[in-house]
């Protein structure tokens, strides 16, 4: 059992209130039991545990700072965290941050540059698109403040190291072209587009039925714009589909059949499952065992039957997926999208129809270019 990504919740609170957030607004309330910020004591235990893991497993892993909003740590606590991790981990191990961008300052960026932390900012598009769902706690726009943070990031002397890209949750009612053009204007080196959270019992926003293809229609428009651009940013979702269609590998869970080892560390040091499972049901991301970086050796946790059982849900079990001509490319999608009350995860993705359409469209384009037969 090898881990690729350790996602660390350094803050369990957020400074804004996105209506679609799986942490706070989809029924799970585990965050209420967590300390707001990771303490120095837990940072010490985390660093020791990750340092040990880097010796126990062969494969290097990335550490991703997440929340809530990780920059709620503030510069002093952030510096302690980065110093502590950098002294525990080999220098080649990536440190990354996923932030809403509102609290980015020059001081924060200097710290991240000093410790080699790449930053991805969550933004859903131009103001009208972004502010449909990403508002602050007073219901006010976040857009201008996020873009100001991106500008600091883009113009920092170490921007090529710092500015990893943007993370966008798709709004199928928006224009894919407008969104793409806007992200290009922000000079994003890459954009990761995500499906909205949802499942068979609670359909994702914008999907009228299991059979409907609103997201594929949006992604098809994106694909056309992307492939006609001579100088595009990287778009991981489309790149992964293209690579998988050509017989290669994806780089992230949710597409393809490669397994990804993902572990989450909460602000109190508890080890949990992939936090996106929170959108399935309250407590879905919790193990029965109460593992923690304070008490447990990570490599032993990852070798346990319970952890391996959690890891195995990445592989789709439904008969539809097993018989599907696109299984190698789709991989059955993300586990959270397979959830159905009463049937668990033994279903195709709720985005199955969308996956079939967009994969079919990519294959059509590759055939037209003579790249696949
Ligand atoms: S396209 Fe549908 S049936 Fe095929 S692997 Fe994906 S989710 Fe399963």
């Amino acid at each position: 059992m090898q881990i690729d990504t350790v996602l660390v919740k350094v803050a369990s609170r957020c400074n804004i209130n996105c209506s679609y957030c799986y942490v706070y607004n989809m029924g799970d309330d585990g965050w209420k039991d967590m300390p707001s910020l990771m303490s120095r004591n837990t940072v010490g235990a985390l660093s020791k545990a990750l340092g040990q893991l880097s010796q126990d497993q062969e494969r290097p892993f990335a550490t991703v700072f997440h929340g809530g909003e990780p920059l709620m740590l503030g510069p002093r606590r952030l510096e302690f965290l980065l110093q502590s991790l950098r002294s525990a981990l080999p220098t080649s191990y990536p440190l990354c941050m996923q932030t809403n961008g509102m609290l980015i300052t020059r001081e924060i960026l200097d710290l991240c540059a000093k410790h080699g932390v790449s930053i991805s900012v969550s933004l859903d598009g131009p103001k009208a698109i972004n502010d449909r769902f990403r508002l602050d706690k007073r219901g006010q726009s976040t857009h201008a403040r996020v873009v100001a943070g991106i500008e600091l990031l883009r113009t920092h002397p170490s921007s090529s190291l710092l500015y990893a890209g943007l993370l966008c949750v798709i709004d199928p009612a928006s224009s894919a072209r407008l969104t793409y053009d806007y992200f290009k204007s922000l000079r994003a080196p890459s954009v990761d587009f995500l499906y909205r959270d949802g499942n068979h019992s609670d359909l994702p926003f914008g999907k009228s039925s299991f059979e409907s293809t609103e997201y594929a229609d949006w992604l098809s428009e994106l694909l056309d714009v992307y492939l006609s651009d001579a100088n595009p940013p990287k778009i991981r979702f489309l790149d992964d589909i293209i690579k998988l269609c050509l017989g290669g590998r994806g780089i992230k869970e949710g597409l393809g059949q490669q397994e990804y080892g993902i572990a989450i560390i909460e602000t109190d040091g508890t080890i949990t499952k992939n936090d996106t499972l929170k959108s399935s049901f309250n407590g879905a991301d919790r193990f029965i065992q109460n593992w923690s970086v304070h008490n447990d050796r990570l490599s032993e946790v990852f070798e346990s039957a319970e952890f391996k059982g959690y890891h195995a849900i990445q592989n789709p079990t439904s008969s539809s997926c097993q018989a599907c001509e696109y299984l190698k490319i789709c991989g059955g999608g993300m586990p959270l999208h397979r959830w159905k009350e009463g049937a668990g995860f033994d279903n195709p993705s709720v985005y199955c129809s969308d996956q079939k359409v967009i994969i079919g469209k990519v294959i059509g384009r590759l055939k037209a270019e003579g790249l696949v037969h």
Side-chain angles (χ1 to χ4, degrees):
M1 179 72 231
Q2 302 269 306
I3 291 295
D4 302 283
T5 302
V6 179
L7 201 141
V8 183
K9 303 274 182 176
V10 293
S12 67
R13 304 292 190 271
C14 191
N15 55 333
I16 65 172
N17 184 29
C18 304
S19 55
Y20 55 51
C21 182
Y22 62 80
V23 179
Y24 306 107
N25 293 325
M26 291 193 79
D28 186 281
D29 56 10
W31 60 273
K32 290 180 182 166
D33 301 328
M34 289 293 143
S36 305
L37 303 173
M38 187 171 271
S39 69
R40 284 185 171 232
N41 184 33
T42 301
V43 168
L46 170 78
S47 304
K48 196 169 160 211
L50 294 185
Q52 182 71 60
L53 180 64
S54 71
Q55 292 170 21
D56 288 349
Q57 77 165 38
E58 268 174 39
R59 191 184 298 173
F61 56 86
T63 303
V64 181
F65 307 122
H66 213 269
E69 167 50 42
L71 289 180
M72 287 185 82
L73 274 184
R76 204 166 41 84
R77 284 171 184 262
L78 180 65
E79 181 158 37
F80 179 75
L81 171 77
L82 299 182
Q83 277 173 346
S84 180
L85 282 172
R86 273 295 176 221
S87 59
L89 289 168
T91 47
S92 61
Y93 278 39
L95 297 181
C96 319
M97 182 181 297
Q98 185 63 50
T99 171
N100 63 37
M102 300 268 289
L103 301 173
I104 290 177
T105 61
R106 178 61 191 251
E107 184 183 10
I108 292 281
L109 295 180
D110 289 345
L111 274 176
C112 290
K114 181 178 168 192
H115 295 284
V117 182
S118 64
I119 298 173
S120 170
V121 179
S122 300
L123 181 73
D124 287 352
K127 185 172 186 300
I129 297 173
N130 183 74
D131 287 352
R132 270 193 92 184
F133 305 106
R134 300 187 64 82
L135 296 173
D136 70 13
K137 294 198 167 178
R138 290 174 297 144
Q140 302 296 310
S141 170
T142 58
H143 184 264
R145 286 172 282 175
V146 177
V147 171
I150 293 171
E151 278 307 294
L152 285 176
L153 188 53
R154 193 179 67 76
T155 55
H156 190 277
S158 299
S159 164
S160 60
L161 176 153
L162 289 168
Y163 191 11
L166 302 175
L167 181 69
C168 168
V169 177
I170 297 169
D171 175 356
S174 71
S175 159
R177 175 178 288 278
L178 199 67
T179 307
Y180 180 89
D181 288 345
Y182 182 67
F183 289 155
K184 271 204 80 169
S185 76
L186 296 177
R187 309 264 196 282
S190 78
V191 186
D192 204 0
F193 290 98
L194 300 182
Y195 284 129
R196 278 280 284 255
D197 294 335
N199 53 59
H200 293 273
S201 301
D202 185 8
L203 281 181
F205 168 84
K207 245 186 111 57
S208 54
S209 70
F210 174 66
E211 290 79 19
S212 67
T213 60
E214 295 87 345
Y215 283 79
D217 298 343
W218 194 95
L219 286 164
S220 296
E221 185 187 352
L222 182 72
L223 181 74
D224 289 339
V225 181
Y226 184 47
L227 294 182
S228 61
D229 186 348
N231 186 25
K234 288 182 196 153
I235 296 185
R236 195 272 313 169
F237 185 90
L238 296 176
D239 291 347
D240 273 5
I241 295 179
I242 293 167
K243 283 189 277 187
L244 287 158
C245 288
L246 292 169
R249 297 158 60 130
I251 58 167
K252 203 168 160 186
E253 61 167 349
L255 284 166
Q257 290 185 287
Q258 192 180 335
E259 294 188 355
Y260 299 94
I262 301 165
I264 315 293
I265 313 290
E266 288 288 349
T267 40
D268 67 349
T270 304
I271 300 158
T272 62
K273 303 178 188 179
N274 196 328
D275 60 340
T276 57
L277 293 170
K278 286 176 191 284
S279 65
S280 305
F281 58 92
N282 193 0
D285 64 328
R286 289 303 176 124
F287 288 110
I288 296 167
Q289 299 282 338
N290 194 18
W291 289 308
S292 163
V293 293
H294 290 284
N295 308 317
D296 298 284
R297 189 167 175 151
L298 292 177
S299 56
E300 289 174 4
V301 171
F302 302 152
E303 281 303 322
S304 69
E306 192 183 3
F307 192 92
K308 284 183 174 172
Y310 142 69
H311 178 73
I313 68 165
Q314 284 183 28
N315 303 315
T317 51
S318 88
S319 53
S320 309
C321 292
Q322 296 308 323
C324 178
E325 62 178 318
Y326 294 142
L327 176 60
K328 277 190 179 159
I329 300 157
C330 169
M334 299 273 287
L336 78 134
H337 295 139
R338 294 183 214 138
W339 173 256
K340 185 178 190 177
E341 275 179 50
F345 295 101
D346 188 19
N347 311 289
S349 168
V350 72
Y351 288 107
C352 178
S353 307
D354 301 278
Q355 293 279 83
K356 285 177 175 165
V357 169
I358 188 65
I359 292 169
K361 179 151 182 162
V362 169
I363 291 172
R365 292 293 296 260
L366 293 173
K367 278 186 178 164
E369 298 291 334
L371 293 168
V372 295
H373 301 291

